Amino acid sequence: MKIAYVYLMRDDPMVAEIAPNHAAYWHGLELDAYAGGPFEDHTGGLIVFDCSSLEVARQHVAGDPFVTHDLLAASWLKKWSVQSLVFARN
């Protein structure tokens, strides 16, 4: 199943210090179909990946350094139904 993990950061100077650990953690999981990164304004980010269950996805999120250091203001973990969109060009 496809999983979408959206997270918003607290306004905390420690975010910049922990960000490399967060990125290394997610890359180190070597998840299938992984794509992720910060929002352009660095207020949070989006990670999508394939996972066998929502429970396993929750375990991955629980190990995220942003979570373990209590740096998130909010987060959402959802099953995601990816659909292709085609936009007509004028």
Side-chain angles (χ1 to χ4, degrees):
M1 77 180 56
K2 296 272 185 221
I3 300 292
Y5 171 44
V6 178
Y7 56 93
L8 300 176
M9 306 307 303
R10 293 186 186 283
D11 185 14
D12 187 317
M14 197 167 164
V15 169
E17 179 183 332
I18 299 301
N21 298 343
H22 160 82
Y25 170 79
W26 284 98
H27 287 283
L29 291 174
E30 298 181 356
L31 300 167
D32 290 336
Y34 169 88
F39 297 136
E40 191 171 298
D41 64 1
H42 297 280
T43 58
L46 168 67
I47 296 172
V48 295
F49 56 96
D50 286 344
C51 199
S52 60
S53 71
L54 199 51
E55 183 54 39
V56 171
R58 284 186 186 107
Q59 291 171 8
H60 293 324
V61 168
D64 182 337
F66 282 159
V67 173
T68 61
H69 286 86
D70 194 29
L71 294 172
L72 298 185
S75 66
W76 299 266
L77 186 68
K78 298 284 189 176
K79 292 181 187 177
W80 185 32
S81 298
V82 180
Q83 298 184 9
S84 295
L85 297 176
V86 177
F87 295 96
R89 293 189 175 177
N90 295 334

Short mmCIF file of all heavy atoms in Angstrom, two decimals, residues 9-77:
data_model
loop_
_atom_site.label_atom_id
_atom_site.label_comp_id
_atom_site.label_asym_id
_atom_site.label_seq_id
_atom_site.Cartn_x
_atom_site.Cartn_y
_atom_site.Cartn_z
N MET A 9 6.41 21.38 11.36
CA MET A 9 7.44 21.56 12.39
C MET A 9 7.03 22.58 13.45
O MET A 9 6.32 23.53 13.16
CB MET A 9 8.74 22.05 11.75
CG MET A 9 9.27 21.20 10.61
SD MET A 9 9.47 19.46 11.00
CE MET A 9 10.55 19.53 12.40
N ARG A 10 7.53 22.38 14.64
CA ARG A 10 7.47 23.42 15.68
C ARG A 10 8.49 24.50 15.31
O ARG A 10 9.47 24.22 14.62
CB ARG A 10 7.84 22.85 17.04
CG ARG A 10 6.87 21.86 17.59
CD ARG A 10 7.28 21.48 19.03
NE ARG A 10 6.46 20.42 19.54
CZ ARG A 10 5.21 20.58 19.98
NH1 ARG A 10 4.66 21.76 19.96
NH2 ARG A 10 4.52 19.55 20.43
N ASP A 11 8.29 25.69 15.80
CA ASP A 11 9.27 26.75 15.61
C ASP A 11 10.33 26.58 16.70
O ASP A 11 10.19 27.09 17.81
CB ASP A 11 8.58 28.11 15.71
CG ASP A 11 9.53 29.25 15.40
OD1 ASP A 11 10.62 29.00 14.86
OD2 ASP A 11 9.18 30.40 15.72
N ASP A 12 11.36 25.80 16.37
CA ASP A 12 12.38 25.43 17.35
C ASP A 12 13.73 25.42 16.65
O ASP A 12 13.88 24.78 15.61
CB ASP A 12 12.05 24.04 17.91
CG ASP A 12 12.93 23.61 19.06
OD1 ASP A 12 14.16 23.84 19.00
OD2 ASP A 12 12.40 23.02 20.01
N PRO A 13 14.72 26.10 17.18
CA PRO A 13 16.03 26.13 16.53
C PRO A 13 16.68 24.74 16.43
O PRO A 13 17.58 24.53 15.60
CB PRO A 13 16.87 27.06 17.40
CG PRO A 13 16.10 27.28 18.66
CD PRO A 13 14.68 26.92 18.39
N MET A 14 16.23 23.78 17.21
CA MET A 14 16.80 22.45 17.18
C MET A 14 16.45 21.71 15.86
O MET A 14 17.12 20.74 15.51
CB MET A 14 16.32 21.65 18.38
CG MET A 14 17.14 20.43 18.66
SD MET A 14 16.70 19.82 20.30
CE MET A 14 17.39 18.20 20.17
N VAL A 15 15.42 22.18 15.15
CA VAL A 15 15.02 21.53 13.89
C VAL A 15 16.20 21.46 12.93
O VAL A 15 16.46 20.41 12.34
CB VAL A 15 13.82 22.27 13.25
CG1 VAL A 15 13.58 21.78 11.83
CG2 VAL A 15 12.58 22.09 14.10
N ALA A 16 16.93 22.55 12.76
CA ALA A 16 18.06 22.57 11.83
C ALA A 16 19.14 21.58 12.25
O ALA A 16 19.78 20.96 11.39
CB ALA A 16 18.65 23.99 11.75
N GLU A 17 19.33 21.39 13.53
CA GLU A 17 20.33 20.45 14.03
C GLU A 17 19.93 19.00 13.77
O GLU A 17 20.75 18.15 13.44
CB GLU A 17 20.51 20.67 15.54
CG GLU A 17 21.50 19.74 16.19
CD GLU A 17 21.59 19.96 17.70
OE1 GLU A 17 21.35 21.09 18.16
OE2 GLU A 17 21.90 18.98 18.39
N ILE A 18 18.63 18.70 13.90
CA ILE A 18 18.14 17.33 13.78
C ILE A 18 17.80 16.96 12.33
O ILE A 18 17.75 15.78 11.99
CB ILE A 18 16.90 17.14 14.69
CG1 ILE A 18 17.28 17.40 16.16
CG2 ILE A 18 16.28 15.76 14.55
CD1 ILE A 18 18.39 16.50 16.69
N ALA A 19 17.61 17.94 11.47
CA ALA A 19 17.20 17.66 10.08
C ALA A 19 18.11 16.65 9.35
O ALA A 19 17.58 15.75 8.68
CB ALA A 19 17.10 18.96 9.29
N PRO A 20 19.43 16.72 9.46
CA PRO A 20 20.26 15.71 8.79
C PRO A 20 20.01 14.29 9.32
O PRO A 20 20.04 13.32 8.56
CB PRO A 20 21.69 16.16 9.07
CG PRO A 20 21.60 17.61 9.36
CD PRO A 20 20.26 17.79 10.04
N ASN A 21 19.75 14.17 10.63
CA ASN A 21 19.44 12.86 11.21
C ASN A 21 18.11 12.33 10.69
O ASN A 21 17.96 11.13 10.44
CB ASN A 21 19.40 12.93 12.73
CG ASN A 21 20.72 13.34 13.34
OD1 ASN A 21 21.76 13.28 12.70
ND2 ASN A 21 20.68 13.79 14.57
N HIS A 22 17.14 13.22 10.56
CA HIS A 22 15.83 12.88 10.02
C HIS A 22 15.98 12.34 8.59
O HIS A 22 15.46 11.27 8.27
CB HIS A 22 14.93 14.13 10.05
CG HIS A 22 13.76 14.10 9.14
ND1 HIS A 22 12.58 13.45 9.44
CD2 HIS A 22 13.59 14.64 7.91
CE1 HIS A 22 11.74 13.60 8.44
NE2 HIS A 22 12.32 14.33 7.51
N ALA A 23 16.71 13.06 7.75
CA ALA A 23 16.91 12.63 6.36
C ALA A 23 17.65 11.30 6.31
O ALA A 23 17.26 10.38 5.55
CB ALA A 23 17.65 13.70 5.58
N ALA A 24 18.69 11.15 7.10
CA ALA A 24 19.46 9.90 7.12
C ALA A 24 18.60 8.72 7.59
O ALA A 24 18.71 7.61 7.06
CB ALA A 24 20.69 10.05 8.00
N TYR A 25 17.75 8.96 8.57
CA TYR A 25 16.87 7.92 9.08
C TYR A 25 15.97 7.39 7.97
O TYR A 25 15.88 6.18 7.75
CB TYR A 25 16.02 8.45 10.25
CG TYR A 25 14.93 7.52 10.67
CD1 TYR A 25 15.21 6.42 11.47
CD2 TYR A 25 13.61 7.71 10.26
CE1 TYR A 25 14.21 5.54 11.86
CE2 TYR A 25 12.60 6.85 10.64
CZ TYR A 25 12.91 5.76 11.44
OH TYR A 25 11.91 4.89 11.81
N TRP A 26 15.28 8.30 7.26
CA TRP A 26 14.35 7.87 6.22
C TRP A 26 15.07 7.21 5.06
O TRP A 26 14.63 6.19 4.54
CB TRP A 26 13.47 9.03 5.78
CG TRP A 26 12.41 9.29 6.81
CD1 TRP A 26 12.43 10.25 7.80
CD2 TRP A 26 11.21 8.54 7.02
NE1 TRP A 26 11.31 10.14 8.58
CE2 TRP A 26 10.54 9.10 8.12
CE3 TRP A 26 10.63 7.46 6.36
CZ2 TRP A 26 9.32 8.61 8.58
CZ3 TRP A 26 9.41 6.96 6.82
CH2 TRP A 26 8.78 7.54 7.92
N HIS A 27 16.20 7.73 4.66
CA HIS A 27 16.97 7.10 3.58
C HIS A 27 17.48 5.73 4.01
O HIS A 27 17.50 4.79 3.22
CB HIS A 27 18.11 7.99 3.12
CG HIS A 27 17.66 9.17 2.33
ND1 HIS A 27 17.27 9.08 1.02
CD2 HIS A 27 17.53 10.47 2.68
CE1 HIS A 27 16.91 10.27 0.59
NE2 HIS A 27 17.06 11.14 1.58
N GLY A 28 17.86 5.60 5.25
CA GLY A 28 18.38 4.35 5.78
C GLY A 28 17.35 3.24 5.85
O GLY A 28 17.70 2.06 5.86
N LEU A 29 16.08 3.59 5.90
CA LEU A 29 15.03 2.57 5.91
C LEU A 29 14.93 1.83 4.57
O LEU A 29 14.39 0.73 4.52
CB LEU A 29 13.67 3.19 6.27
CG LEU A 29 13.52 3.68 7.70
CD1 LEU A 29 12.18 4.40 7.88
CD2 LEU A 29 13.64 2.54 8.70
N GLU A 30 15.42 2.45 3.51
CA GLU A 30 15.40 1.86 2.17
C GLU A 30 14.01 1.36 1.79
O GLU A 30 13.83 0.22 1.35
CB GLU A 30 16.45 0.76 2.05
CG GLU A 30 17.86 1.27 2.24
CD GLU A 30 18.93 0.20 2.09
OE1 GLU A 30 18.60 -0.99 1.90
OE2 GLU A 30 20.12 0.57 2.16
N LEU A 31 13.03 2.21 1.98
CA LEU A 31 11.63 1.88 1.69
C LEU A 31 11.37 1.87 0.19
O LEU A 31 11.92 2.69 -0.55
CB LEU A 31 10.70 2.88 2.37
CG LEU A 31 10.80 2.94 3.89
CD1 LEU A 31 10.08 4.16 4.42
CD2 LEU A 31 10.25 1.66 4.49
N ASP A 32 10.52 0.95 -0.23
CA ASP A 32 10.12 0.91 -1.64
C ASP A 32 9.34 2.16 -2.00
O ASP A 32 8.52 2.64 -1.21
CB ASP A 32 9.25 -0.32 -1.92
CG ASP A 32 10.03 -1.62 -1.85
OD1 ASP A 32 11.26 -1.59 -2.04
OD2 ASP A 32 9.40 -2.67 -1.59
N ALA A 33 9.59 2.67 -3.19
CA ALA A 33 8.88 3.83 -3.75
C ALA A 33 8.96 5.06 -2.85
O ALA A 33 8.06 5.89 -2.83
CB ALA A 33 7.42 3.47 -4.07
N TYR A 34 10.06 5.20 -2.12
CA TYR A 34 10.26 6.35 -1.23
C TYR A 34 10.47 7.64 -2.05
O TYR A 34 11.23 7.66 -3.01
CB TYR A 34 11.47 6.13 -0.33
CG TYR A 34 11.89 7.37 0.43
CD1 TYR A 34 11.32 7.67 1.65
CD2 TYR A 34 12.81 8.26 -0.10
CE1 TYR A 34 11.67 8.81 2.35
CE2 TYR A 34 13.18 9.40 0.59
CZ TYR A 34 12.60 9.68 1.81
OH TYR A 34 12.95 10.82 2.48
N ALA A 35 9.79 8.68 -1.63
CA ALA A 35 10.05 10.04 -2.12
C ALA A 35 9.71 10.96 -0.96
O ALA A 35 8.74 10.75 -0.25
CB ALA A 35 9.20 10.38 -3.33
N GLY A 36 10.53 11.96 -0.75
CA GLY A 36 10.24 12.86 0.36
C GLY A 36 11.11 14.08 0.35
O GLY A 36 12.11 14.13 -0.35
N GLY A 37 10.69 15.05 1.12
CA GLY A 37 11.47 16.26 1.27
C GLY A 37 10.68 17.35 1.96
O GLY A 37 9.49 17.20 2.21
N PRO A 38 11.37 18.44 2.27
CA PRO A 38 10.73 19.53 2.99
C PRO A 38 9.86 20.38 2.07
O PRO A 38 10.07 20.42 0.85
CB PRO A 38 11.91 20.36 3.51
CG PRO A 38 12.98 20.12 2.50
CD PRO A 38 12.80 18.70 2.04
N PHE A 39 8.90 21.06 2.67
CA PHE A 39 8.18 22.09 1.94
C PHE A 39 9.18 23.23 1.68
O PHE A 39 10.14 23.41 2.43
CB PHE A 39 6.99 22.61 2.74
CG PHE A 39 5.95 21.54 3.01
CD1 PHE A 39 5.38 21.42 4.27
CD2 PHE A 39 5.54 20.66 2.03
CE1 PHE A 39 4.43 20.46 4.53
CE2 PHE A 39 4.59 19.69 2.28
CZ PHE A 39 4.04 19.59 3.54
N GLU A 40 8.94 23.98 0.65
CA GLU A 40 9.89 25.04 0.26
C GLU A 40 10.14 26.03 1.39
O GLU A 40 11.24 26.54 1.54
CB GLU A 40 9.37 25.76 -0.98
CG GLU A 40 10.40 26.68 -1.60
CD GLU A 40 9.96 27.22 -2.94
OE1 GLU A 40 9.76 26.42 -3.86
OE2 GLU A 40 9.81 28.45 -3.03
N ASP A 41 9.11 26.29 2.20
CA ASP A 41 9.28 27.25 3.30
C ASP A 41 9.82 26.60 4.58
O ASP A 41 9.93 27.25 5.61
CB ASP A 41 7.96 27.98 3.59
CG ASP A 41 6.86 27.06 4.08
OD1 ASP A 41 7.09 25.83 4.24
OD2 ASP A 41 5.74 27.56 4.29
N HIS A 42 10.13 25.31 4.52
CA HIS A 42 10.72 24.55 5.63
C HIS A 42 9.85 24.52 6.89
O HIS A 42 10.35 24.38 7.99
CB HIS A 42 12.13 25.05 5.96
CG HIS A 42 13.08 24.86 4.83
ND1 HIS A 42 13.67 23.65 4.57
CD2 HIS A 42 13.49 25.70 3.85
CE1 HIS A 42 14.42 23.76 3.49
NE2 HIS A 42 14.33 24.99 3.04
N THR A 43 8.54 24.61 6.70
CA THR A 43 7.61 24.50 7.83
C THR A 43 7.21 23.05 8.10
O THR A 43 6.49 22.77 9.05
CB THR A 43 6.34 25.32 7.58
OG1 THR A 43 5.72 24.85 6.37
CG2 THR A 43 6.65 26.81 7.48
N GLY A 44 7.69 22.14 7.28
CA GLY A 44 7.35 20.73 7.41
C GLY A 44 7.75 20.01 6.15
O GLY A 44 8.63 20.48 5.40
N GLY A 45 7.12 18.87 5.90
CA GLY A 45 7.47 18.11 4.71
C GLY A 45 6.47 17.01 4.41
O GLY A 45 5.48 16.83 5.12
N LEU A 46 6.78 16.28 3.35
CA LEU A 46 5.94 15.19 2.88
C LEU A 46 6.84 14.01 2.53
O LEU A 46 7.88 14.19 1.88
CB LEU A 46 5.16 15.62 1.64
CG LEU A 46 4.45 14.52 0.85
CD1 LEU A 46 3.32 13.90 1.65
CD2 LEU A 46 3.93 15.08 -0.47
N ILE A 47 6.45 12.83 2.99
CA ILE A 47 7.15 11.60 2.64
C ILE A 47 6.10 10.62 2.14
O ILE A 47 5.05 10.46 2.78
CB ILE A 47 7.89 11.01 3.85
CG1 ILE A 47 8.98 11.97 4.32
CG2 ILE A 47 8.47 9.64 3.52
CD1 ILE A 47 9.65 11.57 5.62
N VAL A 48 6.36 9.98 1.01
CA VAL A 48 5.49 8.92 0.51
C VAL A 48 6.34 7.66 0.33
O VAL A 48 7.52 7.74 -0.01
CB VAL A 48 4.77 9.31 -0.80
CG1 VAL A 48 3.81 10.45 -0.57
CG2 VAL A 48 5.75 9.66 -1.89
N PHE A 49 5.72 6.52 0.58
CA PHE A 49 6.45 5.25 0.45
C PHE A 49 5.47 4.09 0.40
O PHE A 49 4.30 4.23 0.76
CB PHE A 49 7.44 5.06 1.61
CG PHE A 49 6.84 5.14 2.99
CD1 PHE A 49 6.48 4.00 3.67
CD2 PHE A 49 6.67 6.37 3.62
CE1 PHE A 49 5.94 4.06 4.95
CE2 PHE A 49 6.14 6.45 4.91
CZ PHE A 49 5.78 5.29 5.57
N ASP A 50 5.94 2.95 -0.05
CA ASP A 50 5.17 1.72 -0.02
C ASP A 50 5.44 1.02 1.31
O ASP A 50 6.58 1.04 1.81
CB ASP A 50 5.56 0.78 -1.16
CG ASP A 50 5.05 1.24 -2.51
OD1 ASP A 50 4.14 2.09 -2.56
OD2 ASP A 50 5.54 0.73 -3.53
N CYS A 51 4.40 0.39 1.86
CA CYS A 51 4.55 -0.30 3.14
C CYS A 51 3.54 -1.44 3.20
O CYS A 51 2.48 -1.37 2.58
CB CYS A 51 4.31 0.70 4.26
SG CYS A 51 4.97 0.20 5.85
N SER A 52 3.86 -2.46 3.98
CA SER A 52 2.98 -3.62 4.08
C SER A 52 1.72 -3.35 4.89
O SER A 52 0.70 -4.01 4.70
CB SER A 52 3.74 -4.80 4.68
OG SER A 52 4.22 -4.49 5.97
N SER A 53 1.79 -2.40 5.82
CA SER A 53 0.61 -2.09 6.65
C SER A 53 0.75 -0.70 7.25
O SER A 53 1.85 -0.16 7.36
CB SER A 53 0.45 -3.13 7.76
OG SER A 53 1.46 -2.96 8.74
N LEU A 54 -0.38 -0.18 7.69
CA LEU A 54 -0.36 1.11 8.36
C LEU A 54 0.37 1.01 9.70
O LEU A 54 1.05 1.95 10.11
CB LEU A 54 -1.80 1.60 8.55
CG LEU A 54 -2.02 3.08 8.82
CD1 LEU A 54 -1.32 3.96 7.80
CD2 LEU A 54 -3.49 3.39 8.85
N GLU A 55 0.29 -0.13 10.35
CA GLU A 55 1.00 -0.32 11.62
C GLU A 55 2.52 -0.25 11.44
O GLU A 55 3.23 0.38 12.23
CB GLU A 55 0.60 -1.64 12.28
CG GLU A 55 1.25 -1.86 13.63
CD GLU A 55 1.03 -0.72 14.63
OE1 GLU A 55 -0.08 -0.15 14.67
OE2 GLU A 55 1.97 -0.38 15.37
N VAL A 56 3.04 -0.88 10.39
CA VAL A 56 4.47 -0.81 10.10
C VAL A 56 4.85 0.63 9.78
O VAL A 56 5.88 1.13 10.23
CB VAL A 56 4.87 -1.78 8.97
CG1 VAL A 56 6.30 -1.55 8.52
CG2 VAL A 56 4.67 -3.23 9.41
N ALA A 57 4.01 1.33 9.03
CA ALA A 57 4.27 2.74 8.72
C ALA A 57 4.33 3.56 10.01
O ALA A 57 5.20 4.43 10.15
CB ALA A 57 3.19 3.28 7.78
N ARG A 58 3.43 3.29 10.94
CA ARG A 58 3.45 4.00 12.23
C ARG A 58 4.76 3.75 12.98
O ARG A 58 5.30 4.65 13.64
CB ARG A 58 2.27 3.55 13.10
CG ARG A 58 0.95 4.13 12.68
CD ARG A 58 -0.15 3.77 13.68
NE ARG A 58 -1.43 4.21 13.17
CZ ARG A 58 -2.39 3.40 12.69
NH1 ARG A 58 -2.22 2.10 12.68
NH2 ARG A 58 -3.51 3.90 12.25
N GLN A 59 5.29 2.53 12.88
CA GLN A 59 6.56 2.22 13.53
C GLN A 59 7.70 3.03 12.91
O GLN A 59 8.58 3.52 13.62
CB GLN A 59 6.84 0.73 13.43
CG GLN A 59 5.91 -0.11 14.26
CD GLN A 59 6.05 -1.60 14.00
OE1 GLN A 59 6.96 -2.04 13.30
NE2 GLN A 59 5.13 -2.38 14.55
N HIS A 60 7.67 3.17 11.58
CA HIS A 60 8.69 3.99 10.91
C HIS A 60 8.61 5.43 11.40
O HIS A 60 9.64 6.04 11.72
CB HIS A 60 8.52 3.95 9.39
CG HIS A 60 8.77 2.61 8.76
ND1 HIS A 60 9.76 1.74 9.20
CD2 HIS A 60 8.17 2.00 7.71
CE1 HIS A 60 9.75 0.66 8.45
NE2 HIS A 60 8.80 0.79 7.54
N VAL A 61 7.41 5.97 11.46
CA VAL A 61 7.23 7.36 11.90
C VAL A 61 7.69 7.52 13.35
O VAL A 61 8.33 8.51 13.71
CB VAL A 61 5.75 7.80 11.73
CG1 VAL A 61 5.48 9.11 12.45
CG2 VAL A 61 5.42 7.92 10.24
N ALA A 62 7.39 6.54 14.19
CA ALA A 62 7.77 6.63 15.61
C ALA A 62 9.28 6.74 15.79
O ALA A 62 9.75 7.34 16.76
CB ALA A 62 7.24 5.42 16.37
N GLY A 63 10.07 6.20 14.85
CA GLY A 63 11.52 6.28 14.94
C GLY A 63 12.13 7.51 14.32
O GLY A 63 13.34 7.74 14.41
N ASP A 64 11.31 8.34 13.68
CA ASP A 64 11.78 9.57 13.03
C ASP A 64 12.40 10.49 14.09
O ASP A 64 11.77 10.78 15.11
CB ASP A 64 10.60 10.25 12.34
CG ASP A 64 10.96 11.51 11.59
OD1 ASP A 64 11.99 12.15 11.88
OD2 ASP A 64 10.19 11.87 10.69
N PRO A 65 13.64 10.95 13.89
CA PRO A 65 14.25 11.86 14.86
C PRO A 65 13.44 13.13 15.14
O PRO A 65 13.48 13.63 16.26
CB PRO A 65 15.61 12.19 14.23
CG PRO A 65 15.94 10.96 13.45
CD PRO A 65 14.61 10.52 12.87
N PHE A 66 12.67 13.61 14.17
CA PHE A 66 11.80 14.76 14.46
C PHE A 66 10.75 14.38 15.50
O PHE A 66 10.36 15.20 16.33
CB PHE A 66 11.12 15.27 13.20
CG PHE A 66 11.98 16.10 12.29
CD1 PHE A 66 11.64 16.25 10.95
CD2 PHE A 66 13.12 16.75 12.73
CE1 PHE A 66 12.41 17.03 10.10
CE2 PHE A 66 13.91 17.52 11.89
CZ PHE A 66 13.55 17.66 10.56
N VAL A 67 10.28 13.13 15.46
CA VAL A 67 9.28 12.65 16.43
C VAL A 67 9.95 12.40 17.78
O VAL A 67 9.44 12.85 18.82
CB VAL A 67 8.58 11.38 15.91
CG1 VAL A 67 7.68 10.78 16.98
CG2 VAL A 67 7.79 11.68 14.64
N THR A 68 11.07 11.70 17.78
CA THR A 68 11.71 11.35 19.05
C THR A 68 12.23 12.57 19.80
O THR A 68 12.40 12.52 21.01
CB THR A 68 12.85 10.33 18.85
OG1 THR A 68 13.86 10.89 18.01
CG2 THR A 68 12.31 9.03 18.24
N HIS A 69 12.48 13.67 19.07
CA HIS A 69 12.92 14.92 19.71
C HIS A 69 11.75 15.90 19.90
O HIS A 69 11.97 17.07 20.23
CB HIS A 69 14.03 15.58 18.89
CG HIS A 69 15.34 14.88 19.02
ND1 HIS A 69 15.70 13.82 18.24
CD2 HIS A 69 16.38 15.08 19.88
CE1 HIS A 69 16.90 13.39 18.57
NE2 HIS A 69 17.33 14.14 19.58
N ASP A 70 10.52 15.43 19.68
CA ASP A 70 9.31 16.24 19.90
C ASP A 70 9.35 17.58 19.15
O ASP A 70 9.09 18.63 19.72
CB ASP A 70 9.07 16.46 21.39
CG ASP A 70 7.68 16.98 21.69
OD1 ASP A 70 6.74 16.68 20.92
OD2 ASP A 70 7.52 17.72 22.68
N LEU A 71 9.69 17.51 17.87
CA LEU A 71 9.82 18.73 17.07
C LEU A 71 8.64 18.97 16.13
O LEU A 71 8.65 19.94 15.37
CB LEU A 71 11.12 18.70 16.27
CG LEU A 71 12.39 18.74 17.12
CD1 LEU A 71 13.62 18.51 16.27
CD2 LEU A 71 12.48 20.06 17.87
N LEU A 72 7.63 18.11 16.17
CA LEU A 72 6.50 18.27 15.27
C LEU A 72 5.34 19.00 15.94
O LEU A 72 4.98 18.70 17.07
CB LEU A 72 6.01 16.91 14.76
CG LEU A 72 7.01 16.09 13.96
CD1 LEU A 72 6.33 14.84 13.43
CD2 LEU A 72 7.62 16.90 12.84
N ALA A 73 4.76 19.94 15.20
CA ALA A 73 3.55 20.61 15.67
C ALA A 73 2.33 19.76 15.33
O ALA A 73 1.35 19.75 16.08
CB ALA A 73 3.43 21.99 15.01
N ALA A 74 2.38 19.05 14.20
CA ALA A 74 1.27 18.19 13.76
C ALA A 74 1.81 17.22 12.72
O ALA A 74 2.81 17.50 12.05
CB ALA A 74 0.15 19.04 13.18
N SER A 75 1.11 16.09 12.59
CA SER A 75 1.47 15.15 11.53
C SER A 75 0.27 14.30 11.19
O SER A 75 -0.66 14.14 11.99
CB SER A 75 2.65 14.26 11.95
OG SER A 75 2.28 13.41 13.01
N TRP A 76 0.28 13.78 9.96
CA TRP A 76 -0.77 12.91 9.46
C TRP A 76 -0.13 11.75 8.73
O TRP A 76 0.81 11.94 7.96
CB TRP A 76 -1.68 13.65 8.49
CG TRP A 76 -2.38 14.81 9.10
CD1 TRP A 76 -3.61 14.83 9.66
CD2 TRP A 76 -1.88 16.14 9.23
NE1 TRP A 76 -3.91 16.08 10.15
CE2 TRP A 76 -2.86 16.91 9.89
CE3 TRP A 76 -0.68 16.78 8.87
CZ2 TRP A 76 -2.69 18.25 10.17
CZ3 TRP A 76 -0.52 18.12 9.15
CH2 TRP A 76 -1.51 18.84 9.80
N LEU A 77 -0.62 10.57 8.97
CA LEU A 77 -0.15 9.36 8.31
C LEU A 77 -1.39 8.72 7.70
O LEU A 77 -2.32 8.34 8.43
CB LEU A 77 0.50 8.42 9.32
CG LEU A 77 1.15 7.18 8.76
CD1 LEU A 77 2.38 7.53 7.92
CD2 LEU A 77 1.55 6.24 9.88
#
